[in-house]
Amino acid sequence: MNKILDFSTQIKEIIDEHAYKILIGLLLIAFSLGLVIILIMNQNSNDANNVATDYSEQSSVGASSSSSQSQSSASEELYIDVKGEVKHPGVYQIPSNSRVTDVIKEAGGFKADADEQNVNLAKVLNDQDVVVVNKKSAAGSSSFASSNNTTTSSSANNVKVNLNTADLNELQKLDRVGEKKAQKIIDYRNQHNGFHSIDEIKQVSGFGDKTFERLKDSLEV
């Protein structure tokens, strides 16, 4: 029993003697634990922020991709002007790589008197192209016009000039018709779905009754 009491006394003396050092040690341990806890909390916070940032960037990339696809889709659309002997002439919006047959279907198909045999249904279309379908006639033909408003040439053996298919050069072969008057014919043709009779040329500025009488034997539609 005495030994135990002596030992306890010694422990107490040691504690009393080193109490200051023990207190400092405990404080250091508590401070270290606090730093560890703070570092862990900061790390978790940074991880959460990184996840949020990654999600935001992915959302932004996704939105940008969708926008690009939408713009790409819009740029792939073609606007084609269909004129003449179709059921519903007008401007049609169709997908890229479409052919004449596709836009003819959009326009309701051919009319009964359309010159179908001379229409190249397999022709690939480009934006702003013009497709003109003419009536059946002995020497007439349907035409495909490109975006610069030129049309396919008529036959070299055909003496008459077709108002719906002749290009700028062919129209200038008419008596006293220069480049300006030829362009007026083409402009009228594009604005009114082609000519439906040769006397309709009198509606074009600069082509009166006298001019028509002079030219009528050289015209056809």
Side-chain angles (χ1 to χ4, degrees):
M1 179 64 71
N2 291 331
K3 290 182 177 181
I4 293 173
L5 290 174
D6 291 340
F7 181 75
S8 298
T9 300
Q10 291 176 359
I11 293 298
K12 184 179 179 182
E13 290 176 352
I14 292 172
I15 291 172
D16 291 340
E17 182 179 352
H18 300 285
Y20 179 73
K21 294 180 179 179
I22 293 172
L23 179 60
I24 292 176
L26 292 174
L27 290 173
L28 289 173
I29 292 172
F31 180 74
S32 299
L33 289 174
L35 285 177
V36 171
I37 293 172
I38 290 173
L39 289 174
I40 292 174
M41 291 178 65
N42 285 338
Q43 182 64 37
N44 292 337
S45 177
N46 289 337
D47 291 342
N49 289 336
N50 289 337
V51 171
T53 300
D54 291 342
Y55 178 78
S56 176
E57 289 177 351
Q58 290 175 359
S59 299
S60 177
V61 170
S64 176
S65 177
S66 298
S67 176
S68 298
Q69 291 177 356
S70 176
Q71 292 176 358
S72 176
S73 176
S75 66
E76 291 176 354
E77 295 295 320
L78 306 178
Y79 288 86
I80 307 300
D81 190 4
V82 185
K83 303 178 183 295
E85 301 308 305
V86 292
K87 293 180 180 179
H88 305 292
V91 176
Y92 289 89
Q93 182 179 1
I94 59 175
S96 63
N97 297 323
S98 294
R99 299 176 184 270
V100 171
T101 183
D102 300 317
V103 77
I104 293 294
K105 291 177 182 177
E106 290 291 326
F110 293 109
K111 289 184 178 179
D113 56 353
D115 186 10
E116 300 180 34
Q117 298 301 318
N118 289 301
V119 180
N120 183 1
L121 296 175
K123 176 71 177 180
V124 177
L125 294 167
N126 296 309
D127 191 37
Q128 302 180 31
D129 277 343
V130 180
V131 176
V132 180
V133 180
N134 294 318
K135 289 183 179 180
K136 293 178 181 178
S137 62
S141 64
S142 298
S143 65
F144 168 80
S146 64
S147 57
N148 61 7
N149 292 327
T150 60
T151 62
T152 54
S153 299
S154 58
S155 172
N157 296 324
N158 184 10
V159 176
K160 294 186 177 183
V161 174
N162 191 306
L163 292 174
N164 286 322
T165 62
D167 60 18
L168 195 65
N169 292 328
E170 287 180 296
L171 290 170
Q172 291 181 69
K173 294 178 182 179
L174 294 170
D175 185 26
R176 303 180 193 175
V177 175
E179 182 177 354
K180 290 184 178 180
K181 283 190 173 183
Q183 186 61 52
K184 287 181 179 180
I185 294 174
I186 292 176
D187 291 341
Y188 181 91
R189 180 173 70 197
N190 291 336
Q191 293 169 6
H192 297 83
N193 296 326
F195 290 86
H196 301 287
S197 63
I198 61 173
D199 60 354
E200 193 176 346
I201 194 174
K202 290 187 291 184
Q203 303 298 323
V204 179
S205 175
F207 291 85
D209 292 335
K210 292 183 179 180
T211 303
F212 174 71
E213 289 298 323
R214 186 178 72 250
L215 298 177
K216 66 180 181 179
D217 293 334
S218 302
L219 301 176
E220 66 178 7
V221 294

